[in-house]
Amino acid sequence: MPTEIENINPNVYGKIKEREVTAHDEDESVADPFDKREIFDLIRTINDPEHPLTLEELHVVQEELININDKENDVHINFTPTIPHCSMATLIGLSIRVKLLRSLPSRFKVTVEITPGTHASELAVNKQLADKERVAAALENKHLAEVINQCISV
Amino acid sequence: MGRLTLEHTLQGHKGRIWGVAWHPNGNTFASCGEDKAIRIWTLSGSGTWSTKTILSDGHKRTIREIHWSPCGQYLASASFDATTAIWSKSVGEFECNATLEGHENEVKSVSWSHSGGLLATCSRDKSVWIWEFAGDDEFECAAVLNSHSADVKRVVWHPKKDVLASASYDNTIKLYSESALDSDWDCTATLSSHTSTVWGIDFDGDGERLISCSDDKTLKIWRSYPPGNNAGIATPENIPVWKCVCTLAGHHSRAIYDVTWCKQTGLIATACGDNAIRIFKESSDSNSDEPTFELVTAEDSAHGEDVNAVDWNPVTSGQLLSCSDDGTIKIWKVVD
């Protein structure tokens, strides 16, 4: 963990309205595939590791940067670090991955990548987040798992 | 065209299964995974596979890979707990005989040399270690090789010589052998061509070729050109030069986590993050300097999640073992 906060004055954005539950949502007889909004609702409340704000409020995650194909079991998230040298980028990406791993059915293949052009070490961070063996080993690390749990707890 | 038929689906581990490995006799195999246990499976008279033994007290974290010694008496296990354990069945029950320590963090792979006299391990600490096995529980570190610049994913010994290959997160494959001059282990070749992590490597039956699989979704075939080769490939240091002679692209839609080259049939099987198992075969009109390989068959939904490992039965030709994140082990048969 860093000793000082890197980005002291991040831009803070508003939150979107809660999703309205429609009659269709409550009808148990219709198949209801996962959509962008549902994925966004799962990750928007994740806490930033250094600010008392959510990833949504910092525009680290945005609904438009989520792609999902329920039929193909494919979820793709782009996230935007608040500054191009953010050392928290891997931790934020890992928190998004863990939140989705725990929330979605295991059939989903989750890809979490930095929004192209928004971070100095974009490729290195993406490669690490995509390496499931390293992610598995990282999650066995008690200290790291605690930090991630703090980020994803509501 | 061939076909892959499912013979058995086995469950037992809790969670992701990382590795499976046939015993040299072909009627026993071992499996390991995130539940920190090793299971040893045998075939009963009635034709069903079941867990004969569970080894659960050897490691404190995920067991990433297991391999049997060529004599079949020892089993080595590589774990995220930074140790490698050696198991044997000297008194009827499997026991942990030795624990090899030294790596700074996760051990990713372990491999026995063809004679069983050497053991190699590799780790996220970027190093490859070679251990001399003097029998019983005596292991001595013979070399610590620091040629890779990142996490080393796999080590595999040559099928006939004391030549070791390693594959890494740094996108390269390296080969090592013992120098005749000072009997030090040196890196003798770096194979560069993959554009992302190399997850798996395997030699063909005579060890003249190597196949690699990668996060870049391709397979590559590498060939050894010894000094004085007919192809006119220069060997400046008077040692074999390895060249990529074939790239198989466009078949896999996600990372390829494992590849196995059957020593009996020459068939190649791959384990992919898109849940599929694919089988490749060298074309009949293939040229040794520019070989061509064909996809024989693909089982698109071989497992419900990523396929992590595949292994050809060393005795029963065409029998293939696979394991997955979905917590199952499957046994397949390639039929014409």
Side-chain angles (χ1 to χ4, degrees), chain B residues 246-277:
Chain B
C246 174
T247 298
L248 285 156
H251 294 287
H252 300 84
S253 64
R254 286 182 180 272
I256 313 167
Y257 291 116
D258 194 21
V259 63
T260 171
W261 201 333
C262 183
K263 307 292 180 272
Q264 301 180 78
T265 63
L267 292 174
I268 291 161
T270 62
C272 187
D274 64 10
N275 306 355
I277 294 174

Side-chain angles (χ1 to χ4, degrees), chain B residues 28-29 39-43 49-54 89 92-94:
Chain B
T28 298
F29 70 86
R39 284 177 173 257
I40 296 174
W41 304 76
T42 53
L43 184 61
W49 287 91
S50 58
T51 301
K52 196 183 164 204
T53 313
I54 302 173
K89 209 173 125 175
E93 291 278 302
F94 274 94

Side-chain angles (χ1 to χ4, degrees), chain A residues 74 109 127 132-133 140, chain B residues 62 64 254 275 306 308:
Chain A
D74 195 60
K109 311 273 183 190
K127 189 174 185 180
K132 68 169 187 177
E133 186 188 68
E140 287 185 5
Chain B
T62 284
R64 178 64 181 91
R254 286 182 180 272
N275 306 355
D306 295 5
N308 289 325

Side-chain angles (χ1 to χ4, degrees), chain B residues 223-235:
Chain B
R223 190 184 157 197
S224 161
Y225 289 93
N229 64 80
N230 295 331
I233 306 289
T235 54

Side-chain angles (χ1 to χ4, degrees), chain B residues 53-97:
Chain B
T53 313
I54 302 173
L55 310 176
S56 55
D57 50 355
H59 292 290
K60 294 184 190 74
R61 289 182 59 188
T62 284
I63 304 174
R64 178 64 181 91
E65 209 179 85
I66 63 270
H67 277 293
W68 297 92
S69 62
C71 65
Q73 234 192 305
Y74 302 93
L75 181 73
S77 56
S79 167
F80 283 0
D81 70 9
T83 71
T84 305
I86 311 295
W87 308 78
S88 83
K89 209 173 125 175
S90 43
V91 282
E93 291 278 302
F94 274 94
E95 269 182 18
C96 178
N97 276 21

Side-chain angles (χ1 to χ4, degrees), chain B residues 131-154:
Chain B
W131 308 79
E132 269 169 36
F133 182 30
D136 294 330
D137 43 8
E138 291 295 307
F139 284 85
E140 232 175 81
C141 176
V144 176
L145 302 157
N146 289 303
S147 307
H148 282 294
S149 60
D151 189 358
V152 190
K153 299 297 195 184
R154 185 69 61 85

